Amino acid sequence: TTVVTKLFNAVQPDRIFHLAAQASTPVAVADPAGTLIPNILAQLNILQGCVTLKLDPVILIVGSGDV
């Protein structure tokens, strides 16, 4: 069980705002894999936590203007 799943189990969210990601475009360009992997894993943990707990929240995943 991930920390995210434990948190979701305690909170039972009906809305999730996913804002965690690499915020610096120059850093992202300099290290694409080092940016992509943590960003995808964070999103995956959120989605897996919802599936595991059979939650159906509204999820807002925010990107940047550079995407």
Side-chain angles (χ1 to χ4, degrees), residues 2 12-13 24-25 30-32 34-35 37 42-43 45 47-50 54 61 63:
T2 68
Q12 298 287 307
S24 170
T25 301
D31 185 13
T35 296
I37 292 168
Q43 188 168 320
N45 285 335
L47 298 174
Q48 283 183 319
C50 291
K54 297 180 176 37
I61 300 168

Side-chain angles (χ1 to χ4, degrees), residues 18-40 42 62-67:
H18 176 37
L19 306 172
Q22 173 55 259
S24 170
T25 301
V27 171
V29 170
D31 185 13
T35 296
L36 186 62
I37 292 168
N39 289 359
I40 289 173
V62 176
S64 72
D66 292 326
V67 173

Side-chain angles (χ1 to χ4, degrees), residues 1 6 8 10-11 15 27-28 30-31 33 41 45 50 54 58 67:
T1 305
K6 289 178 184 176
F8 287 179
V11 175
R15 292 181 203 104
V27 171
D31 185 13
L41 289 178
N45 285 335
C50 291
K54 297 180 176 37
V58 173
V67 173

